[in-house]
């Protein structure tokens, strides 16, 4: 296989790692609420495309609920990114990409989102803990 043929699969992983890196630099007290806002926004990115017709609305409502719960729980934020991954796969298979001008954009998003989800399911640790491989207990992270 041509190495350039791997680019559509490797680049989303790199993008996911860059997102995690940038988010891990956000101060602890702002990191989880910012990620919850990201989940709320991710729930509505397909609204204008309407690829799944009226099903876009209940999915958006579900993501809004998950984002609300994510204000106090990293687990819900991780679940939100995994839900968005599944929605991306459905849109990719249906041929209704997140970016209408980029055919495989939903596939790329479906590859990128689990990278972010794994970081969130680990509690969204800051960069220094990512590098050291340690995790601050959630109680200490909130102070």
């Amino acid at each position: 296989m041509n190495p350039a043929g791997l680019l559509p699969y490797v680049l989303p992983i790199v993008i996911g790692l860059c997102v995690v890196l940038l988010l891990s630099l956000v101060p602890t007290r702002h990191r989880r609420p910012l990620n919850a806002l990201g989940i709320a926004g991710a729930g509505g990115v397909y609204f204008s495309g309407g690829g799944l017709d009226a099903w876009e609305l209940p999915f958006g409502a579900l993501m809004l609920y998950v984002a609300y719960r994510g204000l106090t729980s990293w687990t819900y934020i991780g679940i939100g990114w995994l839900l968005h991954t599944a929605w991306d796969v459905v849109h990719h298979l249906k041929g209704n990409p997140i970016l209408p001008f980029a055919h495989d954009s939903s596939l790329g998003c479906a590859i990128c989102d689990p990278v972010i989800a794994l970081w969130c399911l680990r509690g969204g640790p800051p960069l220094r803990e990512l590098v050291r491989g340690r995790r601050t207990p959630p109680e200490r992270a909130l102070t």
Side-chain angles (χ1 to χ4, degrees):
M1 177 181 235
N2 180 357
L6 293 175
L7 196 58
Y9 307 103
V10 174
L11 190 57
I13 294 171
V14 171
I15 291 170
L17 291 171
C18 288
V19 168
V20 165
L21 175 68
L22 289 173
L23 289 172
S24 71
L25 296 174
V26 173
T28 302
R29 66 186 176 139
H30 300 298
R31 194 175 309 125
R32 193 173 50 226
L34 179 64
N35 278 274
L37 285 171
I39 289 299
V45 297
Y46 286 108
F47 280 175
S48 66
L52 297 177
D53 301 320
W55 286 106
E56 301 291 356
L57 297 174
F59 179 74
L62 172 64
M63 290 293 279
L64 189 58
Y65 171 76
V66 170
Y68 174 73
R69 294 296 304 266
L71 288 170
T72 58
S73 169
W74 278 107
T75 301
Y76 272 92
I77 295 170
I79 290 168
W81 284 118
L82 294 176
L83 286 169
H84 194 260
T85 298
W87 209 239
D88 288 326
V89 169
V90 170
H91 275 268
H92 176 71
L93 294 175
K94 188 164 174 30
N96 187 260
I98 195 167
L99 300 172
F101 56 86
H103 182 277
D104 288 335
S105 58
S106 289
L107 176 62
C109 198
I111 295 169
C112 176
D113 289 352
V115 174
I116 303 167
L118 288 173
W119 175 72
C120 293
L121 291 171
R122 285 193 62 214
L127 179 61
R128 67 182 176 278
E129 291 175 19
L130 281 173
V131 173
R132 292 182 188 152
R134 286 188 234 144
R135 184 169 176 254
T136 301
E139 295 77 22
R140 276 190 35 198
L142 293 176
T143 58

